[in-house]
């Protein structure tokens, strides 16, 4: 466990039957899905755009990026504000909770392009996703 994580808060959410999380510092808000307008010639993981209180928000499907089955698209949207001030929303199946994580629960030995590592929670793994891998 080479990274120092001491008391970080993450949002735990579900995609299909797996649990994932992201650092809440990256999250702007969580909303219900509204009408999404598809964009021609967009990347496969981009579902389209959604109007969120007058701001155009690009809606992406993290299941596509993470290689999951895309059986049913979720009805919740986790909205991120990126460094270049674009708004990106992830379609997720279910928001579980915000939890505090300390270094004893975090394992970065499986870090990859899209994953920081895993968090052990109640004898299960929660996959810690890098927002930058999904939002690009």
């Amino acid at each position: 466990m080479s990274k120092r994580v001491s008391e970080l808060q993450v949002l735990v959410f579900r995609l299909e039957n797996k649990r994932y999380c992201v650092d809440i510092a990256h999250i702007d808000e969580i909303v219900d899905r509204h009408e999404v307008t598809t964009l021609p010639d967009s990347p496969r993981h981009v579902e389209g755009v959604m109007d969120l209180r007058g701001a155009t928000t690009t809606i992406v499907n993290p299941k596509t990026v993470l290689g999951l089955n895309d059986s049913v698209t979720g009805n919740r949207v986790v909205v991120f504000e990126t460094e270049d001030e674009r708004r990106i929303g992830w379609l997720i199946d279910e928001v579980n909770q915000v939890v505090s994580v300390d270094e004893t629960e975090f394992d970065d030995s499986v870090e990859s392009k899209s994953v920081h590592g895993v968090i052990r929670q109640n004898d299960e793994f929660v996959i810690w996703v890098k927002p930058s891998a999904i939002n690009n």
Side-chain angles (χ1 to χ4, degrees), residues 32-61:
D32 290 328
R33 177 184 179 158
H34 301 291
E35 184 177 337
V36 175
T37 302
T38 57
L39 299 171
D41 301 321
S42 60
R44 211 172 123 241
H45 71 288
V46 175
E47 296 278 323
V49 293
M50 187 171 85
D51 180 1
L52 192 55
R53 287 182 294 290
T56 301
T57 304
T58 302
I59 303 300
V60 301
N61 189 340

Side-chain angles (χ1 to χ4, degrees), residues 120-125:
R120 294 176 184 273
Q121 189 180 57
N122 301 327
D123 295 328
E124 292 182 51
F125 288 118

Side-chain angles (χ1 to χ4, degrees), residues 38-131:
T38 57
L39 299 171
D41 301 321
S42 60
R44 211 172 123 241
H45 71 288
V46 175
E47 296 278 323
V49 293
M50 187 171 85
D51 180 1
L52 192 55
R53 287 182 294 290
T56 301
T57 304
T58 302
I59 303 300
V60 301
N61 189 340
K63 292 178 187 178
T64 305
V65 178
L66 297 171
L68 298 174
N69 293 331
D70 192 11
S71 56
V72 177
T73 306
N75 287 320
R76 301 288 284 166
V77 178
V78 176
V79 180
F80 298 83
E81 193 161 312
T82 63
E83 290 177 12
D84 59 3
E85 296 184 19
R86 293 180 304 137
R87 291 178 56 87
I88 307 282
W90 292 7
L91 291 173
I92 63 168
D93 295 332
E94 179 182 307
V95 173
N96 293 117
Q97 61 187 334
V98 173
V99 296
S100 293
V101 176
D102 68 42
E103 60 197 39
T104 62
E105 299 170 291
F106 178 68
D107 183 350
D108 65 356
S109 66
V110 296
E111 185 173 12
S112 69
K113 177 184 167 195
S114 59
V115 173
H116 279 295
V118 293
I119 296 170
R120 294 176 184 273
Q121 189 180 57
N122 301 327
D123 295 328
E124 292 182 51
F125 288 118
V126 178
I127 301 167
W128 189 342
V129 179
K130 295 178 182 176

Side-chain angles (χ1 to χ4, degrees), residues 3-8 101-103:
K3 288 186 183 173
R4 185 126 178 109
V5 175
S6 66
E7 281 306 305
L8 185 69
V101 176
D102 68 42
E103 60 197 39

Side-chain angles (χ1 to χ4, degrees), residues 17-32:
N17 62 350
K18 295 185 171 111
R19 293 184 330 144
Y20 296 85
C21 69
V22 291
D23 182 343
I24 63 167
H26 298 290
I27 298 172
D28 189 36
E29 63 184 318
I30 301 168
V31 298
D32 290 328

